Amino acid sequence: MSGSTSEDDGARWADDVRASVASAVAALAPAATAAGAASWSAPAGPLTWSCWETGEHLADDLFAYAAQLAPAAPPSDDDVPFRWESTTPGGPANTIRADPAHGPAGLLRVIDACGGLLAAAVRVTPPDVRAHHTFGRADAAGFAAMGIVETLVHTDDLAQGLGLEWTPPEGLVARALDRLFPDVPRDLAPAWPTLRWATGRTSLPGLPDRANGWRWDGRPAGERG
């Protein structure tokens, strides 16, 4: 992949963000009924956060990535200084919260809206723009891939906690995996279990456990040292 992203490729990444969020919302919708509302207090898969907290965290990630790209001069050395705070001991520090009065269906709408914000920011950001992220200064494609990975793996966490089936579209997984984890072996397993291993959620034979530490590289390929 080249060191920058063309406008056409940026549009494709924006479409991928939309597709990943749409797939996630559809997968989680069966648990968003009044009858399933109580299950959102259960832990989200391997996480200590509840399903509700994890859903808010996902929305917040999507929002935060859009926010990094949105200024006329995106920050190169820090996050846009929104106020992030946790509302529960050990819970995620977020800017974005869903109104509990609207239940899980409202939370899914918040996730969908934040995904739309990221897709829109990716679509209009010029390919030469870079913005700060702890895991490397990234272009719009990098932030799109981050949002996709967050969506895929946290939907997996949520599906486990809510007792739902979840298998994401293989093409979305492979594209995001290639963009953010260029050094991860791709010949040992299909893309989805490979991404789950890369993000510390499962084991793969012959590879070290990453549960206690992993990171991606959001920099464009031509800018990696």
Side-chain angles (χ1 to χ4, degrees), residues 88-165:
T88 58
N94 293 351
T95 295
I96 299 300
R97 301 286 177 187
D99 184 352
H102 290 267
L107 174 58
L108 293 186
R109 185 172 294 178
V110 170
I111 293 171
D112 191 19
C114 290
L117 291 175
L118 177 57
V122 168
R123 193 176 300 278
V124 302
T125 298
D128 60 340
V129 168
R130 303 290 181 268
H132 168 80
H133 188 276
T134 303
F135 293 170
R137 287 180 72 234
D139 58 357
F143 280 102
M146 294 178 213
I148 292 165
V149 168
E150 297 279 8
T151 299
L152 300 180
V153 298
H154 284 313
T155 300
D156 186 45
D157 298 332
L158 287 164
Q160 292 180 51
L162 297 168
L164 300 171
E165 296 294 326

Side-chain angles (χ1 to χ4, degrees), residues 3-4 17 28-29 37 48 58 66 73 107 117 141 143 164 174 184 196 207 210 219 221:
S4 62
V17 171
L28 299 173
T48 58
L58 170 55
L107 174 58
L117 291 175
F143 280 102
L164 300 171
V184 165
R196 293 187 71 242
L207 294 175
R210 289 164 66 99
R219 296 173 296 175

Side-chain angles (χ1 to χ4, degrees), residues 12-21 24 58 61-62 65 118 122 141-155 166 168-169 171-177 179-180 192 195 216:
R12 181 181 175 190
W13 277 109
D15 290 342
D16 280 358
V17 171
R18 276 293 201 185
S20 66
V21 173
L58 170 55
D61 280 336
L62 295 167
Y65 296 154
L118 177 57
V122 168
F143 280 102
M146 294 178 213
I148 292 165
V149 168
E150 297 279 8
T151 299
L152 300 180
V153 298
H154 284 313
T155 300
W166 163 246
L172 291 175
V173 179
R175 187 162 155 80
L177 183 62
R179 179 60 177 79
L180 295 183
W192 178 227
L195 180 60
W216 58 53

Side-chain angles (χ1 to χ4, degrees), residues 45-72:
L47 306 181
T48 58
W49 299 335
S50 71
C51 289
W52 184 274
E53 289 174 321
T54 302
E56 287 187 326
H57 168 75
L58 170 55
D60 195 76
D61 280 336
L62 295 167
F63 166 81
Y65 296 154
Q68 285 299 100
L69 294 171

